[in-house]
Amino acid sequence: EAARKQIGSLLETPNFYHYLSAYNNLEITAAIRQNGKDDRVRVLQQVGLFERKDSKFQTFSLGMKQRLAIGAALLGKPKVLVLDEPTNGLDPAGIAEIRELIRRLNKEGITIIIASHLLDEVEKVCTHVAILKKGTLLLHGPVDEVLHSEEQLEVRAADMAGLQSALQMMNGITKIKLADNTLQLTCANGIEPQQVNEFCMSKGIVLSHLQLKKKSLESKFMELTN
């Protein structure tokens, strides 16, 4: 019970009384949790809603409603926040609001665990990531490390068949895939675009296109779960 009081949560959609103010809604939440009644002013300031503390919940935008829900989760100064789809249904401005709030809370020392299907947001906000499928942990680690080994090179040349044949002989290229008249190369760590360009030149092939692309978390997720 003591440990649970150190965890704040936002599960699915915010659930408040539409005809009550933000301040009064937080009083009800604190009473249910038996914790944080004297904490309402602090959390409203923390989520940027203090100026609207006396406004009815029904007058809030979706982003403000979501911020109030996070404020409710912050009652009692929990050490850990569990947020389920915190940007669900929000427009780009609302998503940006919640993203900045999450970053700010983390800088204040709160550990935040997010479940989200918006993997681009996860990539922008989170330090670590875990991918689950039917309860099985498929991958986990720091976001930068998870994606670091997934850098790809895109290359094109006038003679695509000759280019592909040449690159199959280059050490450090682990996979070659042809898509939309472009070769997508998966390279071992340490292989730089310059090395690929120099190798092609040594084989008499001039590249018309060379681009480094980091595989997104979304594409990594699709690859693992499919």
Side-chain angles (χ1 to χ4, degrees):
E1 184 178 352
R4 286 199 299 273
K5 286 183 178 179
Q6 297 300 313
I7 301 172
S9 63
L10 165 58
L11 305 178
E12 298 183 348
T13 52
N15 193 14
F16 294 104
Y17 291 101
H18 289 257
Y19 53 88
L20 292 181
S21 68
Y23 194 71
N24 289 338
N25 265 303
L26 289 183
E27 182 178 7
I28 293 171
T29 303
I32 293 170
R33 294 183 59 180
Q34 299 181 346
N35 190 17
K37 183 178 179 180
D38 298 330
D39 214 12
R40 288 175 290 166
V41 170
R42 181 188 66 83
V43 300
L44 285 168
Q45 290 172 333
Q46 211 166 5
V47 298
L49 289 175
F50 181 72
E51 301 299 322
R52 296 291 302 274
K53 70 183 180 67
D54 296 319
S55 299
K56 292 181 179 179
F57 181 72
Q58 64 192 10
T59 66
F60 283 6
S61 67
L62 284 175
M64 292 168 69
K65 289 176 179 178
Q66 207 75 343
R67 280 192 279 148
L68 182 62
I70 293 174
L74 289 167
L75 290 170
K77 298 182 179 179
K79 296 179 180 177
V80 177
L81 279 185
V82 179
L83 307 178
D84 180 23
E85 305 284 1
T87 58
N88 194 25
L90 299 184
D91 60 16
I95 290 173
E97 278 182 24
I98 300 303
R99 183 196 306 151
E100 291 309 310
L101 174 58
I102 288 170
R103 285 175 175 158
R104 191 166 71 248
L105 293 173
N106 180 240
K107 286 179 181 177
E108 292 173 11
I110 300 172
T111 297
I112 302 169
I113 301 170
I114 300 173
S116 180
H117 67 281
L118 298 176
L119 300 184
D120 182 56
E121 283 301 306
V122 171
E123 202 169 337
K124 288 176 180 175
V125 173
C126 298
T127 58
H128 292 66
V129 65
I131 294 176
L132 295 163
K133 182 179 181 181
K134 297 181 179 178
T136 301
L137 182 63
L138 301 181
L139 176 146
H140 69 97
V143 172
D144 289 342
E145 288 184 17
V146 166
L147 298 177
H148 177 71
S149 61
E150 298 301 324
E151 289 182 345
Q152 290 186 327
L153 278 174
E154 287 187 350
V155 292
R156 283 197 300 269
D159 180 8
M160 290 297 292
L163 175 61
Q164 186 165 356
S165 297
L167 289 172
Q168 286 171 347
M169 296 184 288
M170 183 176 176
N171 293 328
I173 294 180
T174 57
K175 184 179 178 182
I176 301 175
K177 178 182 176 183
L178 178 62
D180 299 326
N181 200 38
T182 300
L183 290 180
Q184 297 175 346
L185 313 179
T186 302
C187 303
N189 288 340
I191 297 294
E192 298 292 334
Q194 179 182 342
Q195 294 171 269
V196 174
N197 193 25
E198 289 174 349
F199 179 84
C200 292
M201 290 291 288
S202 71
K203 300 296 181 181
I205 299 171
V206 177
L207 296 178
S208 60
H209 174 81
L210 174 62
Q211 183 178 6
L212 179 64
K213 294 189 72 175
K214 181 180 283 189
K215 184 177 286 188
S216 69
L217 190 57
E218 183 174 349
S219 60
K220 181 72 174 177
F221 175 85
M222 295 301 294
E223 182 181 290
L224 284 171
T225 55
N226 289 334

